[in-house]
Amino acid sequence: MSNFEDDLKKLEELTDDIKRSDISLEDALKDFEDGIKLAKSMKKTLDAMESKIQILMNSPETEDDAGEEKEERQKTRKPKATKGEGPVLDFFDPGSEVNGTRNA
């Protein structure tokens, strides 16, 4: 498997080649095709890296960190609706209306 940085450098070289004024149409088309294949391969690599990062970000934390974060979330959490009530949707805060189109 090739190195991502090497692939990026190769893609930049292909891009520079395509921009040359003395390149033939056939060579430019070949460079373009190679660049597209390389870019697709690099995207797959980036997607795999992103998946790994997501897994790491969602992995269990140490007890101290988890406890502190849980405490913070509880402080900022809105109260849940009680049984029998529908969901509470805070789309509009009547106090924040400035155009006078809503009744208070």
Side-chain angles (χ1 to χ4, degrees), residues 14 18 24-36:
L14 289 169
I18 291 172
S24 69
L25 183 59
E26 291 81 18
D27 288 341
L29 181 59
K30 183 184 179 322
D31 286 349
F32 181 78
E33 288 178 288
D34 291 346
I36 293 295

Side-chain angles (χ1 to χ4, degrees), residues 61-75:
E61 303 155 342
T62 63
E63 288 184 28
D64 292 340
D65 291 343
E68 290 172 11
E69 286 184 21
K70 184 177 180 182
E71 219 174 275
E72 276 301 310
R73 283 194 305 268
Q74 287 176 345
K75 288 179 186 176

